[in-house]
Amino acid sequence: MSTALRIAAVFAALCAGVFLAALLVFGGPNYYGLRPHAVDSDLETHDVRDLTALAQYGRVTGVLTYDAWYKGRDGATGWFLLRPEQTEGVGFKVNGALDPTIARVFGAAPRRCKNTPHPEKMIRAIEPARAQSGFLGRSTCRRSKMDIAEVIAASTPALRHNDFMTHAELARFDAQNDPLVLREHVNLWPTPYAYHRTISLPIVWEALNDSYGGPFETLKDSASSLADALHRDGFVGVRLMAQDWRPRHISDALPDHLPFVRDSGTVMLSGIRFTRFYFTMLCAPEAREACDAVDVSELLPEVMAARNPDTLATVLSSQTTYDDSHAVQRDILREASVTREGILSPTSAERRFDVVWYDAREVLASE
């Protein structure tokens, strides 16, 4: 072997030694992924039942774990399901105590790691009846801070699904009561309301310097009273909403100016506010006809009283040139929308719920 080759071999060996030493010093227990299930030695040991006992939103239907290391290996997805009756004697380890009052540990969405939607590791209790967003469990982007290997070994691999379901579809999904098919919390569920409807009154306006009271407040009070009278809890849920029209994209230097489209082009208005009152209605299946029959036309006289043409004419007479490049088309109010006098009153439509669920049957069937 030539001297040059000997030198190259020695240099390569030195580089390899330095690399392995760096792994030992800086890689931690995982050695940069060379030991994917290695964990720190100072983790707290817990039983899975210690976790499920902290549930405050109804029955826990299962325990869900995720480990990014398994994703794509031998067809695995990284998701695993553990049924409640399988949790006896199953343990896991995490960095710190199980304390639901610590916001960074419980009641917050899993942290994202490397700009992906899933954490490196996660354990959580599945609470379908949870009353708010968030989750009961722990997630980490530092693999060494969590040991869920024992839980995974006792669990069944699963596929994660995310789709929309109607009220009837979601009810049928829950009725199947399959322990290998479990869903997460669904916003606004459980609820008796299967349909929704929005009744929109014509836009009203008032000058910014108008004193409190007058036709504008009269309309607000009358609409609120009507909403209360129409509401029948569990059958027709009614909520009055008031939305001041305000563009989301407009120069901060013009806080009181509104882009406004006329036949002559787009101008800027100031000294006025435009408000839309609308009724959001939720209807139970047996109350859909009653929901569609709701009529709020009795408010039209008060709507017209809250649309002083002189106020609008004064503002239009002092319009200024539109030159705000930050505003976008969806943020520009159109004259045709302001002058509309009819009530927009579509019939009810089926509600669609965003549902995430996990299916272990598909994985078992493929094995």
Side-chain angles (χ1 to χ4, degrees), residues 250-332:
I250 191 170
S251 171
D252 291 337
L254 301 171
D256 297 327
H257 287 64
L258 306 176
F260 190 78
V261 175
R262 309 194 70 188
D263 292 339
S264 57
T266 303
V267 298
M268 297 292 278
L269 304 183
S270 61
I272 193 172
R273 71 162 171 153
F274 297 96
T275 302
R276 179 171 68 100
F277 288 92
Y278 59 97
F279 296 83
T280 298
M281 309 180 65
L282 300 177
C283 325
E286 63 272 24
R288 186 175 188 179
E289 291 186 5
C291 186
D292 287 336
V294 170
D295 182 5
V296 298
S297 58
E298 63 186 80
L299 296 173
L300 274 177
E302 292 174 53
V303 168
M304 294 300 108
R307 293 159 59 96
N308 188 335
D310 294 335
T311 300
L312 183 59
T314 299
V315 170
L316 291 174
S317 67
S318 58
Q319 65 191 26
T320 56
T321 303
Y322 168 78
D323 57 3
D324 190 344
S325 60
H326 296 286
V328 294
Q329 284 298 314
R330 68 173 177 270
D331 291 319
I332 298 177

Side-chain angles (χ1 to χ4, degrees), residues 28-196:
N30 289 315
Y31 296 125
Y32 288 105
L34 298 179
R35 294 172 58 197
H37 297 296
V39 296
D40 288 339
S41 60
D42 60 347
L43 301 180
E44 298 287 338
T45 300
H46 303 280
D47 191 281
V48 171
R49 297 201 171 209
D50 295 337
L51 175 64
T52 58
L54 296 173
Q56 300 176 350
Y57 300 103
R59 183 174 65 94
V60 170
T61 58
V63 173
L64 175 71
T65 53
Y66 178 82
D67 189 334
W69 184 84
Y70 288 93
K71 186 176 181 180
R73 286 181 166 84
D74 297 327
T77 65
W79 298 99
F80 299 86
L81 284 180
L82 184 67
R83 298 193 297 274
E85 63 271 18
Q86 298 174 308
T87 58
E88 182 69 41
V90 179
F92 66 99
K93 299 178 181 179
V94 294
N95 180 34
L98 297 183
D99 185 352
T101 64
I102 303 177
R104 290 186 301 174
V105 178
F106 294 91
R111 289 177 291 177
R112 295 172 181 263
C113 306
K114 299 178 183 177
N115 297 319
T116 65
H118 307 304
E120 291 286 345
K121 287 183 180 180
M122 176 183 70
I123 182 170
R124 65 179 294 187
I126 300 179
E127 304 171 281
R130 189 173 182 85
Q132 60 188 38
S133 60
F135 75 99
L136 175 65
R138 179 74 65 87
S139 69
T140 180
C141 296
R142 298 181 61 186
R143 300 185 54 81
S144 62
K145 298 299 182 183
M146 180 182 292
D147 182 2
I148 54 175
E150 186 177 335
V151 186
I152 289 176
S155 302
T156 304
L159 294 178
R160 184 180 188 272
H161 298 276
N162 189 0
D163 204 352
F164 288 90
M165 295 185 188
T166 64
H167 183 281
E169 291 169 340
L170 191 46
R172 286 195 296 269
F173 182 93
D174 284 347
Q176 66 183 335
N177 196 30
D178 190 329
L180 294 177
V181 183
L182 301 176
R183 68 166 173 84
E184 292 185 4
H185 160 73
V186 177
N187 287 335
L188 307 178
W189 182 270
T191 172
Y193 302 121
Y195 304 95
H196 67 90

